Amino acid sequence: MSFKRWSPGLPPHAKTAILAACALWLTIVLALGIALLRERSQSLHQARQETAVLTTVLEENMARMFGSVDIALLGIATYLSPRMLLRHDPETRAMMLGYLQHLPAVRALFVIGPDGFIQHDTDYPKTPDVSLADRDYFRQYIQQADLNQGLSSAIQSRSGTGWFIASTRRIVSPEGEFRGVLVAAIQLNSLSRLYHKLDLRPGQVMALYHKDGRLIARHPADDASIGRSYGELPLFSQHIPRERTGVYTTDGPPVNSPRIVSYRLLENQPLVVVLSTQKAVVLETWQRTANGALGAAIVFSLLMATGALFFIQRQQQKQRAIILEAAQAEASAVANANAKFRTFFEQGCFLSCVLSLEGTIVEANNATLGASGYTPEQVIGRKFWDSIWWSGMPAHTVKVRQGFEKARDGAVFTCESVYLHANGNQRLAELVLSPVLDANGAILSIAAVSVDITDRKQIEEQLRTLAAELTNADRLKGEFLATLSHELRNVLAPMQNGLYLLEHAAPESESAIRAQRIMQNQLDQMRLLIEDLLDVARVNTGKVRLECELVDLRKVLADVTESAQAFMEPAGHHFTTMFPDESLDVNVDANRMHQVFINLLSNAAKYTPPGGHVSLKARKDSQEIIVQVTDDGIGIPAEAQLKVFDMFEQISRDASYSQGGLGIGLALVHKLVALHGGRVEVFSEGAGLGSTFTVRLPLSEFHGKAIEPPELSRSRDDSSSFLQ
């Protein structure tokens, strides 16, 4: 029956009431349905947060417990390392019992000697003659020489006191001798005590795993699963390899029911704490609320009462969620701050150390150990100024100690210091020592930060050398341009005079003919000057073309001798030659070789006083032909011989011997000889003692084989070895 068919029979206010009641009922039902869905979502979210917070609490307790055990083991091991481990030593047992009083989670402390027998045990006044050489937590130190600290799987006590886990540390003498293993038997019932202390509800399970998936402890107890590996679970196969903490939902083993799981991987320990809450327990309250809401939908009065209860419960849950969120945010902020500091310290590119107020190195980051090549054992625990970095360098030790004292007084100390690398090399570092202050300005420790500046110093030295070379090159360029201008003026002035004579003299007159000869000579000189410049440019750009062929070098040298007479005779030089009777076959460009020897003879004539002696000699060696140009001229100082083949360098700046030139002749000779696979050398005993230029060319049968690269040499062959 539709509303239109029966509504006319109702009074208007009844219709309004019915419509209002239906609307109210529908509104309440819809609101209730939406609220229930949101409540379910929030309950699950709240359970995830609560589980995560409880996991953090569990992690802190486990970390504190294992951390205190590690510290105690380190202290006992340090005490025992320099001593001989005698069995039944009352002093050692008293010391171990003193430590045991402050370790509530540790049932017993005992020392295993290098032979595997127990030497000290806090459970027995007189240590029993028992061997533990078959225990895994002892054998691993025999098998792994570099192992210093270990943690065993869960072990069932033979005495019936329950499960425990062995935390162990190697005992090593100062000389590096293995003296045994120190063991702390940690009772795993501390997990159950924490469970009751936190007042966890049924359905919540605490567990302690090794990070490889082995179950170590669980509460509520599950002895049958202890020691079993759960490495295939998502916790270890998907989450732990990527994240050290997280929350996820699962329904697999070891508890095959839907549940919320939160985990945290302990720092400095291969342990994972896990807290799981069954979803059924989490939604138990929500399920009751839903059942009550369903009954309230049938009975309006119960609906109103349920609504009021729902509102109150909602407020309480919101307040609880706020408290849990604040606690989680605070814990997360502290964890993030510590993580950022550790990341900055450990992964920083600077070499950083933390020093105590006594100067002991407490911590050193990875960059410090990696850059210097030393291990943590060689660095940590020593006085900063007596560390291995300054071994055998007392001056630097004193400087570093004085800097530390200034930093301890509140000042910042900076210096450059040499330090010793592990490979034996000395390197340079910029060292900064500064105090670390607390919120009240009190000095907590000293921070030592350094940067290796060895490479930077070397680069600075190279830059200074390069700057000097560039300055010298700029000077040579200026001198070259000035010389070039002078040479061009020397050519142009005679040509200008010749043109003047040609204009005013008869064409066939002696003056006109002489002017033409002068102008032709000047043009030839300019052509040679320009050809030299072009040849240098071609060689430097790799565009020079050699037309090599097999020639007898004696013929080339004979042509050179004839051409050299043109500048030998005007100076009155005594020019002699000495060539062997046998052929000197080489694979060369004859024109370029002619150019090489003409340049060398021209230089010899130019820098030899009138009436001097110049010789040209050639001989054959086992794999090469040697040609020498020798003069008794002004000679070359030793320091100038190293750069005589450089571009624009003049052999002498003495005006009394200067006959022009751009300083490119010898550079061109050096490059042309190198292109033929040979090399050119210079030797002079000093200023005023003449000089010898030696050209070495490979014989035709050795041409193309491995040849030493062109280099400057100051060797001189004995002239007496030339063939007559």
Side-chain angles (χ1 to χ4, degrees):
M1 180 181 298
S2 67
F3 178 74
K4 289 184 177 181
R5 294 180 59 184
W6 56 266
S7 60
L10 295 175
H13 65 276
K15 296 178 182 179
T16 304
I18 292 174
L19 291 175
C22 291
L24 178 62
W25 179 82
L26 182 60
T27 301
I28 293 174
V29 169
L30 290 176
L32 185 59
I34 294 172
L36 287 173
L37 291 176
R38 289 187 61 189
E39 176 66 18
R40 186 179 188 279
S41 176
Q42 289 187 354
S43 295
L44 293 175
H45 177 68
Q46 177 183 337
R48 289 170 65 89
Q49 291 180 326
E50 180 182 7
T51 304
V53 171
L54 290 173
T55 306
T56 302
V57 175
L58 177 59
E59 180 212 22
E60 292 176 352
N61 276 269
M62 293 295 103
R64 186 165 52 249
M65 179 179 72
F66 283 99
S68 61
V69 172
D70 288 347
I71 293 173
L73 291 181
L74 177 61
I76 297 173
T78 303
Y79 172 83
L80 295 177
S81 62
R83 294 169 170 79
M84 296 299 296
L85 302 182
L86 303 175
R87 300 192 68 191
H88 317 307
D89 180 20
E91 182 180 350
T92 301
R93 185 171 185 274
M95 180 271 297
M96 293 171 62
L97 288 173
Y99 271 95
L100 192 62
Q101 293 178 359
H102 302 285
L103 301 172
V106 177
R107 179 183 63 80
L109 293 169
F110 51 96
V111 178
I112 305 175
D115 57 354
F117 281 83
I118 299 177
Q119 294 190 341
H120 301 285
D121 192 333
T122 56
D123 277 351
Y124 304 93
K126 185 174 183 180
T127 305
D129 192 12
V130 175
S131 173
L132 298 180
D134 61 332
R135 296 298 180 98
D136 290 338
Y137 58 79
F138 173 79
R139 283 191 291 110
Q140 63 182 347
Y141 287 92
I142 303 298
Q143 298 167 356
Q144 303 179 46
D146 59 344
L147 183 65
N148 289 323
Q149 187 177 2
L151 200 65
S152 73
S153 301
I155 304 172
Q156 180 70 46
S157 174
R158 296 177 178 176
S159 60
T161 56
W163 292 89
F164 72 96
I165 183 171
S167 180
T168 59
R169 176 173 286 275
R170 180 188 294 270
I171 303 174
V172 182
S173 71
E175 294 77 21
E177 179 187 2
F178 175 58
R179 289 190 172 177
V181 177
L182 179 62
V183 184
I186 303 175
Q187 290 289 109
L188 295 179
N189 57 8
S190 58
L191 204 64
S192 61
R193 292 198 302 269
L194 181 60
Y195 185 95
H196 295 294
K197 184 177 180 180
L198 294 177
D199 193 22
L200 298 184
R201 57 178 179 265
Q204 291 184 312
V205 178
M206 282 183 172
L208 182 66
Y209 289 85
H210 194 276
K211 70 176 182 181
D212 61 4
R214 288 173 291 145
L215 179 62
I216 294 176
R218 181 177 181 271
H219 193 83
D222 183 12
D223 291 356
S225 298
I226 293 179
R228 178 181 172 185
S229 175
Y230 291 94
E232 75 282 0
L233 295 183
L235 173 62
F236 300 99
S237 62
Q238 300 177 13
H239 297 283
I240 294 299
R242 297 179 300 169
E243 302 290 340
R244 67 175 301 275
T245 179
V247 182
Y248 67 100
T249 303
T250 184
D251 57 357
V255 181
N256 290 308
S257 61
R259 64 196 185 281
I260 298 169
V261 179
S262 175
Y263 64 92
R264 293 184 74 92
L265 180 64
L266 269 65
E267 289 187 358
N268 305 321
Q269 298 289 345
L271 300 174
V272 184
V273 293
V274 179
L275 181 69
S276 65
T277 304
Q278 290 187 2
K279 289 180 67 174
V281 175
V282 173
L283 296 176
E284 186 176 12
T285 302
W286 176 85
Q287 189 65 47
R288 288 196 300 267
T289 303
N291 293 336
L294 181 61
I298 301 172
V299 182
F300 183 75
S301 58
L302 294 178
L303 178 62
M304 300 301 293
T306 304
L309 180 62
F310 176 77
F311 176 79
I312 295 173
Q313 187 177 18
R314 282 276 295 158
Q315 296 302 315
Q316 292 175 343
Q317 290 175 346
K318 286 183 178 180
Q319 188 64 26
R320 188 176 180 183
I322 291 172
I323 294 173
L324 289 175
E325 287 179 358
Q328 184 182 21
E330 183 178 358
S332 177
V334 173
N336 289 338
N338 289 334
K340 289 178 180 178
F341 170 75
R342 297 307 306 178
T343 301
F344 174 79
F345 181 76
E346 294 295 343
Q347 300 181 6
C349 59
F350 294 102
L351 286 65
S352 304
C353 294
V354 178
L355 315 178
S356 69
L357 295 181
E358 291 75 30
T360 303
I361 302 175
V362 179
E363 287 190 81
N365 68 349
N366 295 330
T368 302
L369 302 173
S372 60
Y374 296 109
T375 62
E377 290 77 10
Q378 293 175 294
V379 174
I380 297 175
R382 297 191 175 195
K383 297 295 183 182
F384 185 62
W385 52 85
D386 287 335
S387 63
I388 199 169
W389 296 314
W390 296 286
S391 177
M393 294 186 286
H396 291 281
T397 300
V398 172
K399 180 168 66 173
V400 171
R401 182 163 189 172
Q402 291 174 349
F404 171 79
E405 292 173 353
K406 290 182 179 179
R408 190 172 57 184
D409 293 336
V412 177
F413 173 77
T414 304
C415 73
E416 291 184 0
S417 175
V418 174
Y419 72 94
L420 187 65
H421 193 275
N423 59 15
N425 295 334
Q426 289 188 358
R427 298 185 65 83
L428 186 64
E430 184 175 353
L431 176 64
V432 178
L433 297 172
S434 56
V436 179
L437 309 178
D438 62 9
N440 299 321
I443 299 177
L444 298 175
S445 57
I446 304 299
V449 180
S450 63
V451 179
D452 191 301
I453 58 175
T454 307
D455 297 336
R456 189 186 77 189
K457 289 291 185 180
Q458 292 175 350
I459 292 173
E460 290 176 357
E461 184 62 30
Q462 293 171 0
L463 289 176
R464 282 192 290 270
T465 302
L466 180 59
E469 292 175 353
L470 291 175
T471 301
N472 185 57
D474 186 64
R475 177 186 61 79
L476 291 175
K477 181 186 70 174
E479 294 176 356
F480 165 73
L481 293 175
T483 305
L484 179 60
S485 300
H486 177 72
E487 292 292 325
L488 292 176
R489 282 199 305 271
N490 288 343
V491 173
L492 293 177
M495 292 180 68
Q496 186 177 13
N497 293 333
L499 288 173
Y500 177 80
L501 291 174
L502 290 175
E503 289 178 358
H504 296 83
E508 301 300 330
S509 66
E510 183 179 350
S511 297
I513 295 173
R514 181 173 177 274
Q516 290 177 358
R517 187 170 64 254
I518 291 174
M519 292 176 65
Q520 184 63 47
N521 289 337
Q522 296 303 317
L523 285 173
D524 290 342
Q525 185 175 349
M526 181 177 287
R527 179 181 59 79
L528 292 175
L529 178 64
I530 294 173
E531 282 297 325
D532 279 352
L533 288 172
L534 291 176
D535 283 340
V536 170
R538 293 187 191 105
V539 171
N540 287 336
T541 57
K543 295 181 179 179
V544 67
R545 297 181 61 183
L546 297 179
E547 298 180 359
C548 295
E549 59 181 343
L550 186 63
V551 299
D552 185 350
L553 193 63
R554 293 180 302 172
K555 183 178 183 307
V556 176
L557 295 176
D559 294 340
V560 169
T561 301
E562 183 177 350
S563 300
Q565 296 297 335
F567 46 80
M568 293 292 182
E569 292 177 357
H573 292 323
H574 300 281
F575 180 44
T576 60
T577 61
M578 185 182 297
F579 307 143
D581 295 333
E582 59 178 327
S583 62
L584 303 176
D585 295 331
V586 288
N587 191 20
V588 296
D589 185 326
N591 292 330
R592 293 298 183 184
M593 283 293 104
H594 188 280
Q595 184 179 1
V596 166
F597 295 118
I598 281 294
N599 264 315
L600 291 176
L601 289 171
S602 174
N603 270 339
K606 184 187 303 183
Y607 295 107
T608 299
H613 296 80
V614 179
S615 67
L616 176 64
K617 302 177 182 180
R619 65 182 175 90
K620 182 188 294 186
D621 201 356
S622 60
Q623 296 185 4
E624 59 186 3
I625 291 176
I626 302 173
V627 181
Q628 286 184 320
V629 176
T630 305
D631 63 70
D632 57 359
I634 64 174
I636 306 174
E639 64 275 7
Q641 295 179 38
L642 297 175
K643 55 182 180 179
V644 71
F645 294 110
D646 293 346
M647 188 68 71
F648 311 137
E649 285 286 349
Q650 297 281 3
I651 294 179
S652 173
R653 300 292 178 184
D654 190 343
S656 61
Y657 294 107
S658 177
Q659 300 182 24
L662 301 177
I664 62 176
L666 290 180
L668 183 58
V669 167
H670 185 269
K671 294 178 183 294
L672 288 175
V673 172
L675 287 176
H676 284 83
R679 63 185 187 275
V680 59
E681 304 164 347
V682 62
F683 176 81
S684 176
E685 294 182 355
L689 299 177
S691 58
T692 298
F693 286 85
T694 303
V695 176
R696 299 177 181 271
L697 295 171
L699 291 170
S700 58
E701 59 266 29
F702 296 102
H703 189 77
K705 295 186 178 181
I707 302 173
E708 295 182 3
E711 61 181 357
L712 185 62
S713 174
R714 296 184 58 223
S715 63
R716 184 174 186 176
D717 290 328
D718 186 1
S719 300
S720 63
S721 63
F722 278 86
L723 298 175
Q724 302 298 322

Coordinates of all heavy atoms in Angstrom, one line a residue, residues 295-321:
G295 N 20.3 -3.7 17.8 CA 19.1 -3.8 18.7 C 18.4 -2.5 18.9 O 17.2 -2.3 18.9
A296 N 19.3 -1.4 18.9 CA 18.7 -0.1 19.1 C 17.9 0.4 17.9 O 17.0 1.2 18.0 CB 19.8 0.9 19.4
A297 N 18.2 -0.2 16.7 CA 17.5 0.2 15.5 C 16.1 -0.4 15.6 O 15.1 0.1 15.0 CB 18.2 -0.3 14.3
I298 N 15.9 -1.5 16.3 CA 14.5 -2.1 16.4 C 13.8 -1.4 17.6 O 12.6 -1.1 17.5 CB 14.7 -3.6 16.7 CG1 15.4 -4.3 15.6 CG2 13.3 -4.2 16.9 CD1 15.8 -5.7 15.8
V299 N 14.5 -1.1 18.6 CA 13.8 -0.5 19.8 C 14.4 0.9 19.9 O 15.6 1.1 20.2 CB 14.0 -1.3 21.1 CG1 13.3 -0.6 22.2 CG2 13.5 -2.7 20.9
F300 N 13.6 2.0 19.7 CA 14.0 3.3 19.6 C 14.7 3.8 21.0 O 15.7 4.5 21.0 CB 12.9 4.3 19.3 CG 13.2 5.7 19.2 CD1 13.9 6.1 18.0 CD2 13.0 6.6 20.2 CE1 14.3 7.4 17.9 CE2 13.3 7.9 20.0 CZ 14.0 8.4 18.9
S301 N 14.1 3.3 22.1 CA 14.6 3.8 23.4 C 16.0 3.3 23.6 O 16.9 4.0 24.1 CB 13.7 3.3 24.5 OG 13.6 1.9 24.5
L302 N 16.2 2.0 23.2 CA 17.6 1.4 23.3 C 18.5 2.1 22.4 O 19.7 2.3 22.7 CB 17.6 -0.1 23.0 CG 16.8 -1.0 24.1 CD1 16.8 -2.4 23.6 CD2 17.4 -0.8 25.5
L303 N 18.0 2.6 21.2 CA 18.8 3.3 20.2 C 19.3 4.6 20.9 O 20.5 4.9 20.7 CB 18.0 3.6 19.0 CG 18.7 4.4 17.9 CD1 19.9 3.7 17.3 CD2 17.7 4.8 16.8
M304 N 18.5 5.3 21.6 CA 18.9 6.6 22.2 C 20.0 6.3 23.3 O 21.0 7.0 23.3 CB 17.7 7.3 22.8 CG 16.6 7.7 21.8 SD 17.2 8.7 20.5 CE 17.6 10.2 21.4
A305 N 19.7 5.3 24.1 CA 20.7 5.0 25.1 C 22.1 4.5 24.5 O 23.1 4.9 25.0 CB 20.2 3.9 26.0
T306 N 21.9 3.7 23.4 CA 23.2 3.3 22.8 C 23.9 4.5 22.1 O 25.1 4.5 22.1 CB 22.8 2.2 21.7 OG1 22.1 1.1 22.3 CG2 24.1 1.7 21.0
G307 N 23.1 5.4 21.6 CA 23.7 6.6 21.0 C 24.5 7.4 22.0 O 25.6 7.9 21.7
A308 N 23.9 7.6 23.3 CA 24.6 8.3 24.3 C 25.9 7.6 24.7 O 27.0 8.2 24.9 CB 23.7 8.5 25.5
L309 N 25.8 6.2 24.9 CA 27.0 5.5 25.2 C 28.0 5.6 24.1 O 29.2 5.6 24.4 CB 26.6 4.0 25.5 CG 27.7 3.0 25.8 CD1 28.4 3.4 27.1 CD2 27.2 1.6 25.9
F310 N 27.6 5.5 22.9 CA 28.5 5.6 21.7 C 29.2 6.9 21.7 O 30.4 7.0 21.5 CB 27.7 5.5 20.4 CG 28.5 5.6 19.2 CD1 29.3 4.6 18.7 CD2 28.4 6.8 18.5 CE1 30.0 4.8 17.6 CE2 29.1 7.0 17.3 CZ 30.0 6.0 16.9
F311 N 28.5 8.0 22.1 CA 29.2 9.3 22.1 C 30.3 9.4 23.1 O 31.4 9.9 22.9 CB 28.1 10.4 22.3 CG 28.7 11.8 22.5 CD1 29.1 12.5 21.3 CD2 28.9 12.4 23.7 CE1 29.6 13.8 21.4 CE2 29.4 13.6 23.8 CZ 29.8 14.3 22.7
I312 N 29.9 8.9 24.4 CA 30.9 8.9 25.4 C 32.2 8.1 25.0 O 33.3 8.5 25.2 CB 30.3 8.3 26.7 CG1 29.2 9.3 27.2 CG2 31.4 8.2 27.8 CD1 28.4 8.8 28.4
Q313 N 31.9 6.9 24.5 CA 33.0 6.0 24.1 C 33.8 6.7 23.0 O 35.1 6.5 23.0 CB 32.4 4.7 23.6 CG 33.5 3.6 23.3 CD 32.9 2.3 22.9 OE1 31.7 2.2 22.4 NE2 33.6 1.2 23.0
R314 N 33.1 7.4 22.1 CA 33.9 8.0 21.0 C 34.8 9.1 21.6 O 36.0 9.2 21.2 CB 32.9 8.7 20.1 CG 32.2 7.8 19.1 CD 33.1 7.6 17.9 NE 33.3 8.8 17.1 CZ 34.2 9.0 16.3 NH1 35.2 8.1 16.2 NH2 34.3 10.2 15.6
Q315 N 34.4 9.8 22.6 CA 35.2 10.9 23.2 C 36.4 10.2 23.9 O 37.6 10.8 23.7 CB 34.4 11.7 24.2 CG 33.3 12.5 23.5 CD 33.8 13.5 22.5 OE1 34.8 14.1 22.7 NE2 33.1 13.5 21.3
Q316 N 36.2 9.2 24.6 CA 37.3 8.5 25.2 C 38.3 7.9 24.2 O 39.5 8.0 24.4 CB 36.8 7.3 26.1 CG 36.0 7.8 27.3 CD 35.4 6.6 28.1 OE1 35.3 5.5 27.6 NE2 35.0 6.9 29.3
Q317 N 37.8 7.4 23.2 CA 38.7 6.8 22.1 C 39.5 7.9 21.4 O 40.7 7.7 21.1 CB 37.9 6.0 21.1 CG 37.3 4.7 21.7 CD 36.4 4.0 20.7 OE1 36.0 4.6 19.7 NE2 36.1 2.7 21.0
K318 N 38.8 9.1 21.2 CA 39.6 10.2 20.6 C 40.7 10.7 21.5 O 41.8 10.9 21.0 CB 38.6 11.3 20.3 CG 37.7 11.1 19.1 CD 36.8 12.3 18.8 CE 35.9 12.1 17.6 NZ 35.1 13.2 17.3
Q319 N 40.4 10.8 22.8 CA 41.4 11.2 23.7 C 42.6 10.2 23.8 O 43.7 10.6 23.8 CB 40.8 11.4 25.1 CG 41.7 12.0 26.1 CD 42.1 13.5 25.7 OE1 41.3 14.2 25.1 NE2 43.3 13.9 26.2
R320 N 42.2 9.0 23.8 CA 43.3 7.9 23.8 C 44.1 8.0 22.5 O 45.3 7.8 22.5 CB 42.6 6.6 23.9 CG 43.6 5.4 24.2 CD 42.9 4.1 24.4 NE 43.8 3.0 24.6 CZ 43.5 1.8 24.8 NH1 42.2 1.5 24.8 NH2 44.4 0.9 25.0
A321 N 43.4 8.2 21.4 CA 44.1 8.3 20.1 C 45.1 9.5 20.1 O 46.2 9.4 19.6 CB 43.2 8.4 19.0

